[in-house]
Amino acid sequence: MDDDAMDESATDDPYRSALEAAHDRALSWLDSLAERPIRPELDVDGVLGRLDVRLGDQSTDPRAVVEELAAASEPGLMAMGSPRFYGFVIGGTYPAALAADWLVSAWDQNTGSRQPTPATAAVEEIAGAWLLDLLGLPRESGVGFVTGGTMANFSCLVTARDSVLRRAGADPARGLQHAPPIRFLAGDAVHTSMVLAGRLAGLGAPTTVGADSEGRIDVVGLERALARGDGPAIVALQAGDVHSGAFDDFAAAVGVAHGAGAWVHVDGAFGLWAAASPRLRHLVAGLADADSWATDAHKTLNVPYDCGVAIVRDEAAMAAALGAHAAYLPAVASISDPYDRTPELSRRARGVPVWAALRSVGRAGVVGLVEGLADAATGLATGFEGIAGLEVLNDVVFTQVCVAAPTDAETAALGEWLREEGTVWASSSTWRGRTVVRFAVSNRGTDAEAVRRTVDAVARGVAALGIDGRAGIARPPG
Ligand SMILES: *Cc1c(COP(=O)(O)O)cnc(C)c1O
């Protein structure tokens, strides 16, 4: 084919023109992240006002659809990929992971089974093995790529539920209505996601057994609670509290829980990644002795939404709980299929961007990523402590920083001021009975410069609001 013929087929090809439009808009969005205000300019009604909400009868050219979507949506997008976005716990995106995610869409493989989709099943198997290695978890574990930490917690909890029931002589297939009650225990600082997963799994919200001021489970309380009853039990521990970043004492808690015959699950949505760093690994000592672990790749690993990871030491138990069996579903010998490790039958190959991120940065890059996030959190805390009127409330051990002004009203005003000013976006929350502004460092781009600009913005807010004791905007001009 000569060049002219190629050009002609290019213009005729609706895939090419739509994808080229998406490519251009994606690059201009990514280019804008460094300097655009982080908050969205439009709210939902604003975006609705820019789109025709009636579905007309006529068709629209694919390229025009992409252009219309991008133009109407961009003002309503939050710059979540900015290195100065600290809301919730949200990672950025590595270039290789984003590009691989595009390929996943183009390939459009329904990655449930090894037989019809060998390539994506193979890439996910490698990604899973790399994760186990990096996180120091048992290499025989089953790894399932799910939508996020909540579904990872759910997948592990369902496996735990069926396993403890089977151990108690019950048949999980008959349902909870024919099973002995299961005790489900967690620390007081258990994440909402774990509570939701417990409800979805039919276990209800966990019974809480206490926690210390940083949110670490009270191991003595756990021991007492386990001793008070008998029968099947599941204990949910936590690696990385969303406010303090604190880690449960795994060595002690896993020992106590296993001593009582309980299954131990760890919610490590972002904290599990401490295991990848020789410097931070001490935070998760004893973690690998648990039975199951949930983490996110769309947080710390900086792959695009969505990707969570469910990990279970006993892969056969995972397949028994989550696997589907039907005559038309091909099974390959004794090796579990992707659909044996997730609740879905059909899904995108969301493990592929994980492979791409890891392949792109390598082992040292993952260590640098995790340590860089923790260093940035330390830098923020040091900077905030240097601002008169501010106090950092948590022990900054990992990636989370909670800061407060003298009064709750001032802290709330500071959070609003920051989000409105647009240099920085951090969530407001309540912790230990106080209003806080919460900084979760999860973006690979949050370097010393981003930290400096963040601390400067916070100092400007403190001054503008008069929190530092000098009258700020409250003072009449002149
Ligand atoms: C984010 C988070 C979750 C939930 O993960 P999703 O990916 O949002 O479903 C669970 N636990 C902790 C500690 C988290 O930070």
Side-chain angles (χ1 to χ4, degrees):
M1 210 192 280
D2 63 27
D3 282 358
D4 282 355
M6 256 172 114
D7 282 352
E8 214 166 81
S9 71
T11 39
D12 286 350
D13 179 353
Y15 278 117
R16 182 171 292 272
S17 67
L19 285 171
E20 280 175 355
H23 177 254
D24 290 349
R25 299 303 293 229
L27 287 178
S28 71
W29 166 254
L30 292 169
D31 283 346
S32 76
L33 286 178
E35 294 308 328
R36 74 184 295 130
I38 295 176
R39 62 172 155 70
E41 287 160 43
L42 294 180
D43 60 10
V44 173
D45 285 337
V47 177
L48 284 172
R50 295 166 67 103
L51 289 164
D52 194 343
V53 294
R54 290 171 306 106
L55 180 60
D57 284 328
Q58 74 288 11
S59 68
T60 309
D61 168 67
R63 180 179 187 104
V65 170
V66 171
E67 293 289 0
E68 179 189 343
L69 174 70
S73 301
E74 275 167 16
L77 296 177
M78 172 85 87
M80 284 186 170
S82 161
R84 283 167 278 102
F85 177 86
Y86 303 99
F88 317 103
V89 182
I90 290 186
T93 296
Y94 279 114
L98 172 55
D101 198 58
W102 286 4
L103 280 182
V104 167
S105 291
W107 292 341
D108 202 15
Q109 304 283 291
N110 181 353
T111 303
S113 166
R114 297 180 98 233
Q115 202 197 64
T117 55
T120 49
V123 173
E124 287 198 344
E125 278 174 23
I126 296 170
W130 284 353
L131 286 177
L132 295 177
D133 185 30
L134 286 164
L135 300 174
L137 298 176
R139 49 194 308 178
E140 72 271 19
S141 307
V143 179
F145 291 100
V146 292
T147 50
T150 303
M151 284 313 286
N153 281 326
F154 170 76
S155 304
C156 292
L157 219 47
V158 164
T159 305
R161 180 195 70 193
D162 286 7
S163 299
V164 297
L165 286 182
R166 212 172 283 113
R167 270 192 241 151
D171 175 9
R174 299 191 65 224
L176 291 176
Q177 62 274 37
H178 298 291
I182 299 170
R183 293 171 299 151
F184 176 34
L185 306 171
D188 286 12
V190 61
H191 192 276
T192 330
S193 156
M194 205 62 236
V195 177
L196 178 59
R199 285 169 40 211
L200 295 175
L203 301 172
T207 303
T208 51
V209 302
D212 70 9
S213 60
E214 296 294 316
R216 290 176 291 240
I217 194 168
D218 176 353
V219 179
V220 175
L222 174 65
E223 190 163 22
R224 286 207 193 104
L226 284 167
R228 270 199 295 275
D230 55 12
I234 298 168
V235 173
L237 302 178
Q238 183 163 266
D241 175 276
V242 281
H243 288 102
S244 67
F247 294 75
D248 285 346
D249 180 347
F250 298 109
V254 176
V256 160
H258 279 168
W263 177 288
V264 181
H265 170 68
V266 179
D267 175 8
F270 63 93
L272 214 60
W273 293 88
S277 151
R279 203 183 84 201
L280 298 165
R281 199 169 283 158
H282 66 96
L283 294 166
V284 295
L287 173 98
D289 294 326
D291 302 292
S292 61
W293 306 264
T295 194
D296 267 321
H298 57 217
K299 290 180 177 173
T300 311
L301 186 59
N302 282 240
V303 306
Y305 279 90
D306 47 31
C307 187
V309 191
I311 304 170
V312 178
R313 175 193 299 275
D314 182 352
E315 184 172 358
M318 196 176 201
L322 301 172
H325 310 280
Y328 76 95
L329 296 175
V332 180
S334 59
I335 303 165
S336 76
D337 278 297
Y339 60 58
D340 290 322
R341 290 175 251 122
T342 72
E344 295 93 350
L345 272 186
S346 298
R347 66 174 176 86
R348 69 191 275 101
R350 59 172 58 85
V352 170
V354 170
W355 178 90
L358 296 175
R359 178 83 178 100
S360 155
V361 302
R363 187 179 291 276
V366 175
V367 176
L369 166 70
V370 176
E371 294 181 356
L373 301 178
D375 288 346
T378 308
L380 290 177
T382 306
F384 298 157
E385 288 286 10
I387 300 172
L390 290 190
E391 186 189 354
V392 173
L393 297 189
N394 62 309
D395 288 345
V396 180
V397 295
F398 194 47
T399 54
Q400 313 298 102
V401 183
C402 279
V403 71
T407 68
D408 284 352
E410 287 168 321
T411 308
L414 178 62
E416 271 165 39
W417 188 95
L418 286 170
R419 292 187 291 270
E420 183 52 36
E421 195 244 8
T423 308
V424 168
W425 206 99
S427 322
S428 290
S429 185
T430 308
W431 191 56
R432 290 196 206 154
R434 286 182 69 178
T435 299
V436 294
V437 184
R438 207 183 129 262
F439 292 79
V441 185
S442 319
N443 189 298
R444 67 193 181 88
T446 308
D447 57 8
E449 166 71 3
V451 167
R452 188 188 58 72
R453 288 183 63 183
T454 302
V455 173
D456 286 352
V458 172
R460 282 198 302 280
V462 164
L465 296 165
I467 293 170
D468 56 356
R470 292 181 275 139
I473 48 174
R475 184 175 55 179

